Amino acid sequence: MSFLYKECARILELVVAGRGSVKSLCLSTKNKAKTKVYAIVFNTLQNYRTLKIIAEEAQLESTALVYVHLYELLYRGGLKTGGPLKVKLMKMLPVLKELKEKHNKSTTFKRLPLYVRINTLLAEDPTRVIKQLQTQFPDSKFTGDPHINFLLKFPPTTNFSKCRLYRNGQIIIQDKASCMSATALAPPRDAHVIDACSAPGNKTLHVGALLENTGSVFAVERDSKRFNKLKNNIKKHGAKNITPVREDFLKILPSDPMYSKVTHILVDPSCSGSGMVTENLVSDFKSKNVKRVSELAALQK
């Protein structure tokens, strides 16, 4: 488990430094427990400000590894590891709990909602899906998004890990911002589309759904690991009109007969959701992210 915490700390450092998003870095980790890594990093970031203050007042080192340990100890109820850091923190546990109680309320912030898109490639009756979600989450009071069809807004603490609709691909957890590009593209039925930067595939699947499984979507991805993730997502979510293409989009020739009928191209390069974790992180990391934003802007040109 210590290896897990070290990997979480490594990713946390990269996110704070503006060198990637939580999602992309967790997808690329070599640790097999990707889901656990994502959960720990994400939730440590959610409580980053409080953890930072606790570490400072307890005279602990302000390192990512300390923050990860503090999150697991104070918010998850225990540390599944050994070592000198655990011994030190356990001796300080009463003090650490007092500091958490003292600062938790003063550093609270509004968490972003959780968005879920009904996957109409598999879910033929969206109304039925909504009724099933109302049954499974009776207290969530979720609503439909006013701008994007079949997008639902849930409270940020909603847990879909055991939801049958999520597990079988009838709903997809997808940020509203991620749904904007396909919505803006608005391809008509039977259109032929290229998604230039496809993996992991949520935008591609959205395009496929807007086409109602007609036409053709060429899902282009150059990275081999992300390409495999893309193929798995296409299969899981019932897309019959999407062709995965492992290629660098910039090397594709317009004269290639394979793309002769293409009328629409979706280009949303370098998914840069680094600032989407929490509202307070925007101010905490603003100065550190200036260089990152400039680099992404240059790349997207």
Side-chain angles (χ1 to χ4, degrees):
M1 186 60 71
S2 61
F3 294 108
L4 175 66
Y5 288 163
K6 288 179 181 177
E7 179 63 3
C8 291
R10 183 188 71 83
I11 292 175
L12 181 62
E13 286 179 348
L14 292 173
V15 174
V16 173
R19 295 172 59 188
S21 68
V22 178
K23 184 183 292 184
S24 63
L25 290 169
C26 288
L27 282 173
S28 63
T29 180
K30 294 180 180 180
N31 193 299
K32 294 182 179 179
K34 294 181 188 290
T35 303
K36 288 184 179 179
V37 171
Y38 180 86
I40 293 173
V41 174
F42 181 86
N43 287 300
T44 301
L45 283 167
Q46 291 280 8
N47 299 281
Y48 185 86
R49 184 178 292 175
T50 303
L51 295 170
K52 185 177 180 181
I53 294 173
I54 291 172
E56 289 174 353
E57 294 198 8
Q59 296 184 340
L60 295 167
E61 287 186 272
S62 293
T63 66
L65 189 60
V66 168
Y67 298 154
V68 168
H69 277 69
L70 285 174
Y71 165 73
E72 286 284 279
L73 180 61
L74 298 176
Y75 291 85
R76 295 281 294 170
L79 287 167
K80 299 177 181 178
T81 186
L85 180 55
K86 177 182 180 179
V87 173
K88 183 176 183 178
L89 294 179
M90 293 305 297
K91 289 180 178 179
M92 300 176 65
L93 187 57
V95 174
L96 294 174
K97 285 184 175 180
E98 287 183 11
L99 290 172
K100 177 194 172 188
E101 184 66 24
K102 174 184 175 182
H103 294 292
N104 217 28
K105 293 182 180 180
S106 64
T107 56
T108 56
F109 49 86
K110 183 180 179 181
R111 295 174 63 181
L112 298 174
L114 183 65
Y115 285 95
V116 170
R117 181 171 61 81
I118 298 175
N119 177 26
T120 52
L121 293 168
L122 283 180
E124 297 180 356
D125 186 355
T127 302
R128 183 179 179 183
V129 171
I130 291 173
K131 289 182 179 179
Q132 289 177 311
L133 289 170
Q134 288 172 334
T135 300
Q136 185 161 357
F137 302 100
D139 300 322
S140 68
K141 297 181 181 179
F142 64 88
T143 60
D145 185 81
H147 307 112
I148 298 174
N149 292 334
F150 307 120
L151 188 66
L152 307 174
K153 183 171 71 172
F154 282 79
T157 55
T158 309
N159 185 357
F160 287 95
S161 61
K162 296 181 180 179
C163 176
R164 182 179 61 83
L165 293 169
Y166 171 68
R167 295 171 73 92
N168 67 20
Q170 291 190 67
I171 61 173
I172 299 172
I173 297 175
Q174 185 172 0
D175 287 334
K176 181 173 181 176
S178 176
C179 297
M180 291 293 192
S181 52
T183 302
L185 187 69
R189 281 178 57 89
D190 298 312
H192 288 244
V193 182
I194 291 177
D195 185 348
C197 310
S198 189
N202 284 349
K203 298 183 186 76
T204 313
L205 290 165
H206 194 188
V207 172
L210 292 175
L211 291 174
E212 299 176 11
N213 246 336
T214 67
S216 182
V217 183
F218 298 102
V220 180
E221 175 56 48
R222 68 181 184 180
D223 183 84
S224 59
K225 292 183 180 179
R226 288 170 61 83
F227 182 71
N228 289 331
K229 175 70 173 177
L230 170 66
K231 289 195 296 183
N232 291 336
N233 271 339
I234 292 172
K235 182 178 180 180
K236 174 184 177 181
H237 295 97
K240 299 177 181 178
N241 61 342
I242 298 177
T243 302
V245 180
R246 188 187 167 191
E247 180 63 272
D248 184 341
F249 172 70
L250 297 177
K251 295 181 180 179
I252 290 178
L253 298 175
S255 59
D256 190 329
M258 182 176 177
Y259 308 108
S260 61
K261 295 182 180 180
V262 169
T263 56
H264 296 68
I265 299 178
L266 180 66
V267 184
D268 194 356
S270 185
C271 295
S272 52
S274 304
M276 294 296 291
V277 180
T278 59
E279 289 182 4
N280 76 313
L281 291 181
V282 174
S283 59
D284 279 356
F285 302 156
K286 187 174 181 181
S287 60
K288 297 180 181 180
N289 279 334
V290 171
K291 183 179 179 181
R292 167 75 171 159
V293 171
S294 299
E295 290 173 348
L296 286 171
L299 176 62
Q300 291 170 356
K301 288 180 180 179

